[in-house]
Amino acid sequence: MTAVPLAELVIAAAARTPAAPAVHCGPVTVSYRELDDMARGYTAALVELGVAPGDRVLIWAEKSVEVIAVMQAALRIGAIYVPLAPANPAARVELIADSCSATLLVTDAARASRISSPRTRSVEFAALRTNAPAAECHRPDLDDPAYILFTSGSTGAPKGVCLSHRNALAFVEWAVAATGLVAADRLANHAPFNFDLSVFDLYGAFRTGAAVDLITSDQAYAADVLVEFLCDRAITVWYSVPSALQLMMRYGALLHRAEPQLLRTCVFAGEPFPIADLLSLRTAWPNVRMFNWYGPTETNVCASYEVTARDLTRERAVPIGVAASRAQLTLDPADEGEIVVDGPTVMLGYWGLPPHRGPYRTGDLARNNDAGQLEYIGRRDAMVKVRGHRLELGDVESVLLAHPAVAAVAATVLGTGLDARLHAVVVPHDSDAPPTLLALKAHCAAQLPTYLLIDSLSLVDELPRTANGKLDRTELAAAQGLP
């Protein structure tokens, strides 16, 4: 595939197959011709509002065809789009707008009324109408920024990860080939647009002329709704965090249904998939290819592992696999250490800070296994000290997750110094038959040294999650009364 700027993917698909469906959103379906026409109109409107190459355009709204068309319009101008989750409070939106010196905020009527800062210039989708002729597309350099994804920063301030056209395309082209994506596919878009998982859903579809089917935020964690969506909307490719699939299995009776007839590929990323649940899904869907993808927002997917029937005898988490997206992966120190990523998907940098140069240090720890694959250990910053030993909480969690009575778990530390002890917060598979502390200690003792055995246990119905579905350790600490 020849690399072209992201804006040209929809233009090319509209020229090849104008009547083919591009986006499904509930009862609404738009073809590639219609999406191209909408993007043309929004491009002219944005230019009329003064948006120029390099400007930042924030988009704060629920997922819709209109949101995608505005993203496309920004790209055609050479502007940088900044998607924001609809659940963001207005104060955070204004903070992000200020931090990236946004030229414009595009939103809906309800959200526009919440913006009070005179520094944030906003316009509603309904007002993006113009009689001006369609503007000429700006053809950016592939290394120009295309979009900014804001993530939570360690200081509490949002952090803008700036990605180029080349960054996105290096991943998309690899992913299209790895999954065998074709024009006949229909991809489920579970992730919010500000989460890097959505890049495959959107641009994988546009690259091949396939269709993407949007899951809105009010549907994203409704188990029954998600199961119906997967089974009834002719989805062929599913990509989400593991917790969404676990939710569907536990509360949506996903495994009580027959294997979805049209689903051929299931991809998960963003967090470890508890091995018991993963193997239950692998067993129930023998004809579906399954991939475990790994990579932080700063690199998108840089490692991949295909889960097959050979994994059914595993007791611990599946590997994150081998390098993907033409990345070069090293460990520092070698064999077991921090994952360091180099290659075409590594971000341009954080908005407002100096450009990123060279390899990116992920802060994630991994080890090489005998097959030359990376096994994820956990976060470097999750390293704690208990009983005089430095330990990685992810190491404890991966063993606890292998216990058949454990559906989900988070390990944490209670107390400090000599009083520090390991505590496990567990979601049981069956609330009527929860695991006991003694049973979990005995289970861990077979695989872990004594200093890694948990000292205490609490049972919860579910673990707190961020808006992207990942474990929210800050909220977990607050709920457990931790500092």
Side-chain angles (χ1 to χ4, degrees):
M1 298 180 180
T2 302
V4 296
L6 292 175
E8 296 185 21
L9 301 183
V10 167
I11 295 171
R16 290 194 312 269
T17 54
V23 183
H24 302 283
C25 186
V28 176
T29 296
V30 299
S31 68
Y32 273 99
R33 179 194 292 115
E34 291 168 328
L35 180 59
D36 184 41
D37 287 344
M38 289 176 67
R40 287 174 186 269
Y42 284 148
T43 300
L46 292 179
V47 169
E48 204 168 53
L49 288 168
V51 177
D55 286 347
R56 276 72 63 205
V57 176
L58 273 62
I59 309 171
W60 181 37
E62 183 55 76
K63 290 180 187 176
S64 67
V65 176
E66 288 76 17
V67 168
I68 292 175
V70 171
M71 290 159 62
Q72 290 292 306
L75 291 172
R76 294 179 186 205
I77 294 169
I80 306 165
Y81 72 81
V82 186
L84 303 177
N88 270 313
R92 183 177 174 87
V93 172
E94 291 175 357
L95 178 63
I96 291 173
D98 286 346
S99 72
C100 68
S101 303
T103 298
L104 191 68
L105 167 66
V106 182
T107 187
D108 53 37
R111 289 179 175 82
S113 64
R114 302 178 205 166
I115 298 297
S116 58
S117 172
R119 298 188 301 275
T120 304
R121 182 187 180 197
S122 62
V123 61
E124 297 173 23
F125 286 94
L128 285 179
R129 301 287 185 268
T130 181
N131 294 320
E136 287 293 323
C137 283
H138 172 83
R139 187 178 176 90
D141 186 89
L142 292 178
D143 291 315
D144 286 345
Y147 54 88
I148 302 173
L149 302 180
F150 273 86
T151 65
S152 297
S154 58
T155 62
K159 184 170 60 175
V161 180
C162 193
L163 288 310
S164 70
H165 296 260
R166 191 184 306 278
N167 291 153
L169 289 163
F171 159 63
V172 168
E173 292 178 358
W174 169 84
V176 165
T179 59
L181 207 62
V182 296
D185 277 314
R186 183 162 173 164
L187 295 81
N189 165 237
H190 180 269
F193 292 155
N194 62 299
F195 192 16
D196 57 327
L197 270 67
S198 66
V199 173
F200 172 63
D201 306 333
L202 295 176
Y203 295 106
F206 299 158
R207 182 54 143 161
T208 57
V212 58
D213 203 329
L214 308 183
I215 299 172
T216 55
S217 59
D218 60 341
Q219 300 172 316
Y221 290 96
D224 291 341
V225 173
L226 290 178
V227 173
E228 293 296 328
F229 185 97
L230 171 63
C231 297
D232 294 348
R233 293 186 69 91
I235 300 301
T236 64
V237 180
W238 177 275
Y239 185 25
S240 74
V241 290
S243 54
L245 289 162
Q246 287 182 276
L247 185 76
M248 295 160 71
M249 295 163 65
R250 192 169 304 135
Y251 301 112
L254 179 64
L255 300 187
H256 295 165
R257 289 173 171 254
E259 183 177 28
Q261 290 187 349
L262 296 178
L263 184 69
R264 62 176 190 79
T265 301
C266 175
V267 185
F268 52 90
E271 61 187 353
F273 201 142
I275 191 64
D277 284 343
L278 173 57
L279 298 188
S280 294
L281 190 62
R282 174 69 281 169
T283 301
W285 289 354
N287 299 307
V288 176
R289 294 185 74 191
M290 288 186 183
F291 293 93
N292 179 26
W293 284 356
Y294 162 82
T297 302
E298 289 84 351
T299 70
N300 210 307
V301 172
C302 58
S304 173
Y305 179 81
E306 183 166 3
V307 183
T308 69
R310 294 191 302 272
D311 293 295
L312 291 176
T313 57
R314 284 187 180 275
E315 296 183 351
R316 299 185 67 169
V318 296
I320 58 175
V322 297
S325 307
R326 307 203 319 269
Q328 295 88 51
L329 305 181
T330 55
L331 297 182
D332 182 19
D335 296 323
E336 183 170 325
E338 183 178 9
I339 303 172
V340 182
V341 185
D342 201 0
T345 64
V346 175
M347 66 173 179
L348 296 176
Y350 298 112
W351 186 263
L353 296 178
H356 178 82
R357 304 294 185 195
Y360 176 75
R361 303 185 69 91
T362 64
D364 289 329
L365 301 175
R367 63 173 69 93
N368 282 304
N369 65 18
D370 293 339
Q373 301 155 338
L374 291 179
E375 294 181 342
Y376 180 79
I377 300 174
R379 288 289 301 168
R380 183 185 61 190
D381 52 18
M383 191 75 75
V384 295
K385 194 169 186 178
V386 176
R387 291 183 279 270
H389 296 274
R390 290 188 61 78
L391 59 95
E392 172 54 57
L393 293 175
D395 224 10
V396 179
E397 291 169 345
S398 66
V399 173
L400 287 169
L401 279 171
H403 191 283
V406 176
V409 63
T412 188
V413 176
L414 299 178
T416 59
L418 294 176
D419 296 324
R421 63 192 189 279
L422 273 174
H423 179 73
V425 183
V426 168
V427 178
H429 263 298
D430 183 352
S431 59
D432 293 328
T436 65
L437 175 61
L438 184 61
L440 292 182
K441 286 172 75 78
H443 168 76
C444 291
Q447 301 182 57
L448 296 173
T450 305
Y451 66 85
L452 285 178
L453 301 186
I454 60 171
D455 300 290
S456 55
L457 167 70
S458 60
L459 302 173
V460 296
D461 292 331
E462 59 182 349
L463 297 175
R465 300 283 174 182
T466 67
N468 291 338
K470 296 183 180 181
L471 175 67
D472 189 333
R473 288 193 178 272
T474 302
E475 187 176 332
L476 177 74
Q480 298 297 310
L482 303 176

